[in-house]
Amino acid sequence: MSGLTMFFALLMYGAALVFTVGVGWRVFIYARTPAPLKIPTTPAPTTRTGVWIRMAREVVLFESLFKSNKWIWLFGYLFHASLLLVLIRHLRYFTEPVWGWVALAQTFGTYAGFAMLAGLFALWLRRIVVQRIRYISNLSDHLMLWLLMAIALTGLMMRFVAHTDIIGLKMFALGLLRLDIQPVPADPLVLAHLALVAGLMLVFPISKLLHAPGLFFSPSRNQVDNPREKRHLAPWAAKLESK
Amino acid sequence: MAKVEFETPKMREYPVIPIIHADAMAHSQPFVASSQHQESLGFPGQLVDNWKEVAIDKMGELLTKYRSLKVYLDSCVKCGACTDKCHYFQGTTDPKNMPVARQDLFRKVYRRHFTFAGKYFPRLVGAEDLTEQVLGDWYKYFHQCSQCRRCSVFCPYGIDTAEISMAAREIMDTIGKGQKYCNEIIGKVHKIGNNLGLPEPALADTLQGLEEDIKDDTGFDVRLPLDVKGADVLLVTPSADFFAEPHIDGLIGYAKVFHQAGISWTLSSYASEAANFGMFIGSYDQMKKIAERVRTAALELGVKRIIVGECGHAWRVAYSFWNTLAGPFDFLDPRYPSPQHIIEFTSDLIDSGGITLDKEANDNRIVTFHDSCNVARASRMGNLPGGQFELPRKVIKAACNHFVDMPADTIREKTYCCGGGGGLLTDDLLELRVKGALPRMEALKHVVDNNGVNNVAAICAICKSQYSKVLPYYGFPRDMIVSVHQLVSNAIVLGDKQ
Ligand code: HEM
Ligand code: SF4
Ligand code: SF4
């Protein structure tokens, strides 16, 4: 096994580990932290089912964002929907034989790459052009968009500019899954793409990408509006009771 | 107090998002609480020596107690969707009044002390230590947030800046930098039972005076009972209802409704306050203590129901928190929601024919309705989500022939704050209050110009006081603001049922 392969295998394993443990830990902390008072933004659903529907609308449609700002919604939705398609498309590198529905998504997946890039670029333009958003942006907010754009760009280049050894890449990916390391194709584009993706996984648990799990734990969105019917006592608040 | 000169913002034909002006409101801050007011609530009298450590420790504690705080601080993606949604930003153009920027004052300290990125790469993620300058910003800008939750409606994750303002205020109280207005008032509630510091004899006197006024006015013996044991209903209402205009006309309205419905009721001198400023300062403890007065009073008087008068944040605390803070209220009659809002009560009586309203009594009025933030976005009325919008409108329409709503993006869940909520209803923040009222005043002007509206009805004591104060700044008459139960009071037919 070459040093290069060794390095990349370790990088991918390490990144996947940090990602899983990091996000898992974060989710654990969110779940552990009590929400001592009922604070759903009303009107809010009065049943659990209603809350699931509200949440689904937020995740699938970005409903609140739509109410808020049509441009951010458009670009943001374009980016996220494309990201989802691209991720689905990538499943073919990790499945053998490729699942039927993944194969179906291949054509969309290709265009989604461009759409994702366009969405990200538009979001970044907003960040520099709109005075208010420039004001609230930190360097990390720009870097995050660049990182994602770089991932999309290297990916698209492999497909449309300098064809790469896809079979070799798939062997490498499957090898990682099967704990039977195969050589990584020594193509600079492949290596850059992989390294950037590893970078994304590494920063995920320590960055604003936590919005993805965060949304599900947001009390203003995930609480049932039933405070008159049910008490909602957090453990630390219950201790004040006995006094 | 040094009088601050300021200009009332111009009302815009078509509200556009303003250009930002850094530090436009950096001079605005409320008076700091005196050591006496601080200490009576168990907070340090003045800024403690090691305030930085104490503040960071407190922040750490709150992060383990409130999921909202933790999740909101982590989740913001700086998308900017909330940036133009705050009335204080629209009215002042100060960028730190953009909800996300306000949160960031807190978030940058959180990142510095509680996140990996902020500890090791502070510049990259905008993390900062809690310096004197930052504390100064906290004190200013967390007292330029009325905790109205409008930003929360529009954030893709529901991030509620109010939660962050509350946490910041709690931390500031803990290090000895509390706000005079809120803390002084909370002290009065603990000592005397209401925000005004109105003792029992004075209250009894006031109520008696009102009974005489009603008698002169209508010829009917409408009672305003105080501390009557065995009454069916305990009415808990904001103490402003006992003396301020137009609040008092609302109180008279409640009394007439009870009278006509033939339901026995009482006020309590011990719990003569629905308002609960413990919420504004983010203190669970204070909020609980104030709420428990109501429970105690209800038990002592042996009532079967609790009804809450017209007050926005009070209804939030009552509806959303009482059961948790001071419950269970299982000693009350389970056939009625507890607590119940006076609007729910009156609405039911309208449906059942328990009261009759003569709409023509209000024919001189063309009325619009101001949805108060805390009722609209933090509570409910009736059984259906959104009842908090429908029921007050229904009651108004039952009492008036002419009703018009303000533009759709300024009412219901998107309602704009009056500019004086969240513990900011004090004269040391007058400039902020006037400027923050801008979007609401623009919406009002729209229906005044187009529909001839001459009254705006509200169900919140703070809104009513704030309107009375700021309406003239925008060229509207002060008495344009009315209580919803004032309209009911005018229209209700007293005497034998037909
Ligand atoms: C449950 C899944 C997710 C939901 C519901 C969600 C939702 C959102 C929403 C509503 C926004 C704000 C609008 C915008 O700026 O685009 C946003 C921003 C963002 N999301 Fe997600 N997201 C999810 C997963 C992800 C994932 C997996 C990634 C990246 C790997 C990601 C990356 C981003 C980035 C970088 C931004 C900021 C865009 C900017 O800087 O303007 N999101 N997300
Ligand atoms: S809308 Fe929410 S996520 Fe977007 S900047 Fe504002 S607080 Fe952050
Ligand atoms: S809660 Fe209201 S006042 Fe506070 S930042 Fe949000 S919109 Fe502004």
Side-chain angles (χ1 to χ4, degrees):
Chain A
M1 198 188 311
S2 70
L4 188 69
T5 298
M6 181 79 115
F7 175 78
F8 269 89
L10 285 178
L11 179 67
M12 297 321 275
Y13 280 137
L17 189 73
V18 169
F19 173 78
T20 335
V21 174
V23 174
W25 175 243
R26 247 14 216 190
V27 165
F28 172 71
I29 290 180
Y30 296 158
R32 180 185 67 182
T33 310
L37 291 166
K38 281 274 182 179
I39 58 165
T41 318
T42 57
T46 51
T47 60
R48 265 280 129 216
T49 323
V51 164
W52 279 107
I53 295 169
R54 178 184 206 176
M55 207 54 123
R57 289 204 310 259
E58 291 295 351
V59 175
V60 180
L61 306 173
F62 295 6
E63 186 180 47
S64 297
L65 185 61
F66 186 78
K67 274 188 228 164
S68 184
N69 188 311
K70 300 289 186 282
W71 288 113
I72 309 183
W73 181 85
L74 182 69
F75 301 144
Y77 203 81
L78 190 65
F79 156 57
H80 285 86
S82 319
L83 175 68
L84 183 65
L85 279 176
V86 168
L87 287 176
I88 290 174
R89 191 178 123 86
H90 276 69
L91 283 177
R92 74 173 170 153
Y93 302 123
F94 299 95
T95 52
E96 187 56 53
V98 174
W99 302 333
W101 61 276
V102 175
L104 271 180
Q106 292 310 305
T107 13
F108 304 109
T110 320
Y111 299 111
F114 287 104
M116 178 173 149
L117 199 57
L120 284 165
F121 188 71
L123 286 172
W124 183 63
L125 267 189
R126 271 187 65 84
R127 231 173 246 301
I128 48 174
V129 172
V130 180
Q131 190 198 24
R132 283 171 290 123
I133 303 192
R134 197 166 60 230
Y135 180 91
I136 59 168
S137 298
N138 292 126
L139 188 53
S140 57
D141 299 309
H142 294 280
L143 286 179
M144 187 59 76
L145 290 170
W146 291 345
L147 174 63
L148 287 160
M149 280 193 276
I151 293 175
L153 207 63
T154 48
L156 287 169
M157 279 171 72
M158 279 189 282
R159 186 164 163 89
F160 292 101
V161 181
H163 271 279
T164 199
D165 174 11
I166 284 295
I167 309 288
L169 185 57
K170 177 157 183 174
M171 296 308 288
F172 175 69
L174 284 174
L176 289 178
L177 282 185
R178 295 169 181 165
L179 302 179
D180 167 25
I181 310 290
Q182 300 296 315
V184 66
D187 174 348
L189 273 180
V190 172
L191 300 182
H193 193 65
L194 288 179
L196 289 165
V197 170
L200 183 69
M201 290 197 279
L202 287 171
V203 297
F204 203 107
I206 53 165
S207 70
K208 65 176 185 178
L209 296 182
L210 289 170
H211 67 284
L215 170 59
F216 297 94
F217 289 93
S218 169
S220 38
R221 292 288 182 269
N222 76 5
Q223 287 186 336
V224 180
D225 175 18
N226 61 357
R228 283 196 287 199
E229 290 76 23
K230 271 209 177 111
R231 293 194 78 198
H232 187 72
L233 213 52
W236 64 262
K239 288 197 198 119
L240 304 173
E241 294 279 286
S242 43
K243 276 197 229 164
Chain B
M1 180 180 103
K3 240 194 144 60
V4 188
E5 296 292 329
F6 65 89
E7 264 178 58
T8 306
K10 296 245 170 349
M11 288 195 268
R12 305 157 293 182
E13 185 78 15
Y14 301 101
V16 283
I17 303 172
I19 306 283
I20 62 181
H21 295 99
D23 294 333
M25 278 305 267
H27 56 279
S28 171
Q29 58 178 329
F31 295 149
V32 178
S34 71
S35 50
Q36 180 208 334
H37 296 141
Q38 284 284 100
E39 279 157 10
S40 72
L41 304 189
F43 301 132
Q46 54 253 316
L47 199 62
V48 295
D49 290 335
N50 57 341
W51 59 270
K52 279 178 213 182
E53 289 127 62
V54 179
I56 301 303
D57 284 351
K58 185 71 185 178
M59 189 184 281
E61 180 198 322
L62 294 181
L63 285 165
T64 63
K65 284 170 121 179
Y66 291 93
R67 182 186 293 168
S68 52
L69 189 65
K70 179 81 188 157
V71 171
Y72 295 162
L73 288 172
D74 275 352
S75 299
C76 173
V77 294
K78 311 293 175 81
C79 70
C82 61
T83 50
D84 57 340
K85 302 298 185 283
C86 178
H87 51 289
Y88 291 121
F89 171 65
Q90 293 196 20
T92 67
T93 71
D94 189 319
K96 286 181 184 149
N97 278 330
M98 300 190 290
V100 45
R102 194 188 313 285
Q103 295 161 24
D104 275 351
L105 297 173
F106 195 101
R107 187 177 283 116
K108 64 187 178 185
V109 180
Y110 162 73
R111 285 192 169 161
R112 184 76 183 102
H113 290 274
F114 298 94
T115 70
F116 178 86
K119 278 181 195 158
Y120 301 102
F121 310 98
R123 297 277 300 267
L124 189 66
V125 295
E128 260 182 66
D129 281 305
L130 183 57
T131 58
E132 230 154 284
Q133 159 100 39
V134 173
L135 179 63
D137 271 356
W138 276 30
Y139 193 72
K140 290 170 184 167
Y141 292 100
F142 288 119
H143 290 110
Q144 297 189 30
C145 169
S146 57
Q147 307 177 340
C148 76
R149 312 189 95 201
R150 190 167 195 268
C151 44
S152 160
V153 170
F154 292 100
C155 171
Y157 322 114
I159 295 176
D160 181 5
T161 316
E163 290 291 309
I164 305 201
S165 288
M166 289 170 190
R169 292 187 193 176
E170 184 166 21
I171 293 173
M172 290 190 284
D173 273 329
T174 313
I175 61 175
K177 194 165 176 167
Q179 183 219 27
K180 171 170 182 269
Y181 174 67
C182 281
N183 290 1
E184 183 177 7
I185 278 180
I186 295 174
K188 284 188 201 157
V189 177
H190 290 324
K191 217 151 103 203
I192 301 167
N194 55 59
N195 286 6
L196 295 172
L198 200 66
E200 192 271 335
L203 183 55
D205 225 41
T206 308
L207 296 176
Q208 199 189 344
L210 283 177
E211 289 177 348
E212 284 159 16
D213 290 349
I214 302 175
K215 174 90 177 169
D216 290 347
D217 243 29
T218 65
F220 287 94
D221 285 311
V222 174
R223 293 274 159 251
L224 285 111
L226 182 64
D227 295 330
V228 175
K229 286 211 165 142
D232 278 347
V233 173
L234 168 63
L235 178 78
V236 185
T237 205
S239 57
D241 282 2
F242 302 129
F243 84 110
E245 281 291 344
H247 312 57
I248 206 161
D249 301 304
L251 176 64
I252 293 173
Y254 319 150
K256 288 184 184 169
V257 172
F258 283 118
H259 172 91
Q260 194 57 20
I263 294 177
S264 74
W265 67 292
T266 184
L267 291 154
S268 152
S269 58
Y270 179 75
S272 44
E273 182 60 70
N276 191 327
F277 280 29
M279 182 175 91
F280 296 155
I281 64 167
S283 166
Y284 191 99
D285 217 38
Q286 291 297 328
M287 198 155 66
K288 181 174 167 67
K289 282 193 190 122
I290 298 171
E292 275 166 352
R293 296 182 76 91
V294 176
R295 179 192 178 84
T296 308
L299 282 169
E300 263 172 26
L301 294 168
V303 296
K304 302 195 187 78
R305 306 165 67 176
I306 303 178
I307 293 181
V308 180
E310 296 182 1
C311 184
H313 84 282
W315 179 239
R316 177 182 193 183
V317 176
Y319 172 86
S320 296
F321 305 155
W322 271 3
N323 193 14
T324 298
L325 293 170
F329 285 88
D330 46 8
F331 55 90
L332 297 173
D333 186 338
R335 285 175 302 166
Y336 304 98
S338 69
Q340 194 176 24
H341 196 283
I342 186 77
I343 290 279
E344 293 178 309
F345 176 69
T346 300
S347 164
D348 284 350
L349 285 167
I350 292 172
D351 287 342
S352 67
I355 56 171
T356 313
L357 300 174
D358 169 21
K359 294 186 192 195
E360 279 170 26
N362 284 311
D363 266 357
N364 55 334
R365 304 172 191 274
I366 304 176
V367 181
T368 192
F369 177 64
H370 169 80
D371 289 283
S372 298
C373 316
N374 276 302
V375 176
R377 291 185 281 258
S379 78
R380 176 161 51 99
M381 291 180 196
N383 294 325
L384 296 175
Q388 68 269 37
F389 312 133
E390 307 309 334
L391 294 192
R393 285 176 172 77
K394 173 184 144 191
V395 170
I396 295 173
K397 286 180 190 163
C400 306
N401 274 313
H402 313 294
F403 175 81
V404 187
D405 255 324
M406 286 183 271
D409 55 345
T410 70
I411 55 168
R412 297 173 181 255
E413 67 168 351
K414 295 179 187 168
T415 187
Y416 275 109
C417 174
C418 62
L424 308 181
L425 191 77
T426 169
D427 279 348
D428 33 322
L429 291 174
L430 186 58
E431 177 181 1
L432 178 79
R433 287 166 53 191
V434 170
K435 291 183 169 172
L438 176 70
R440 173 45 78 220
M441 291 299 135
E442 287 172 340
L444 182 58
K445 182 167 162 41
H446 185 88
V447 286
V448 168
D449 290 350
N450 292 301
N451 309 85
V453 161
N454 57 10
N455 277 128
V456 48
I459 44 171
C460 170
I462 289 177
C463 295
K464 293 172 199 171
S465 300
Q466 160 77 355
Y467 266 93
S468 307
K469 189 86 178 191
V470 302
L471 280 168
Y473 283 86
Y474 288 92
F476 299 116
R478 184 186 298 275
D479 59 4
M480 213 175 152
I481 178 77
V482 295
S483 299
V484 169
H485 272 80
Q486 177 178 354
L487 301 171
V488 173
S489 170
N490 294 342
I492 194 164
V493 182
L494 295 175
D496 290 342
K497 301 219 170 88
Q498 285 92 17

